[in-house]
Amino acid sequence: MSDLDTASPMQPERQLMTLEVNGEEHEVITEPRRTLVDVLRHELRLTGTHVGCEHGICGACTVLVDDRPVRACLMFAAQAEGTRIRTVESLSSGGPDRPELNDLQRAFRAHHGLQCGFCTPGFLMLAEGFLAEHPQATKEEIREVVAANLCRCTGYQSIVEAIDGCATARRAGKER
């Protein structure tokens, strides 16, 4: 018997799962109780997804699951099997040595949509998912959506301006 077949109080049950993250398949052996954010950060070393409140309130851990924003602290990794997961690392291109920011990230920089940066990955993924579904979003709709995530530094106006600026540019076909 392998350690996947048996569990003891000292050795919790573990299972093999395959997760598709940022277009790549990863096999992970982990406990069924592990959250998606923990597996992303600790098993796959994708540390762009931040852990904030661990209760689904702050939104720092937002990722896209099948193109929809999800709080990774509220989802078990096992629940994500068979889905497409995207983390903030999927936004930039050019590789880890020379990343090139995408249009949304550049808009956040241009509009000063970040201060300390802790909440930024969650806002980026929330905005990426929202704009994919609502490319014609108004500032009012954007403001309502970003209210779901917490930021203690910016006051949200610069985040709304960044997302709106990106949406406007995408509609005009200038960037993508």
Side-chain angles (χ1 to χ4, degrees), residues 8-67:
S8 72
M10 299 304 287
Q11 179 92 23
E13 177 185 335
R14 298 184 315 157
Q15 70 184 53
L16 173 66
M17 62 183 78
T18 303
L19 299 176
E20 182 187 324
V21 182
N22 300 334
E24 295 180 21
E25 284 200 357
H26 299 272
E27 287 190 345
V28 178
I29 299 174
T30 191
E31 299 168 43
R33 66 180 180 84
R34 296 279 306 274
T35 61
L36 181 56
V37 70
D38 284 339
V39 169
L40 291 171
R41 290 183 58 81
H42 301 293
E43 304 295 327
L44 301 182
R45 303 284 187 234
L46 295 169
T47 57
T49 303
H50 292 166
V51 179
C53 67
E54 296 187 75
H55 296 285
I57 296 168
C58 73
C61 66
T62 302
V63 298
L64 298 182
V65 176
D66 290 336
D67 301 320

Side-chain angles (χ1 to χ4, degrees), residues 59-88:
C61 66
T62 302
V63 298
L64 298 182
V65 176
D66 290 336
D67 301 320
R68 302 195 71 131
V70 169
R71 311 289 179 149
C73 73
L74 295 180
M75 182 179 217
F76 292 116
Q79 292 174 292
E81 254 192 314
T83 67
R84 292 178 327 279
I85 303 162
R86 284 185 61 204
T87 67
V88 70

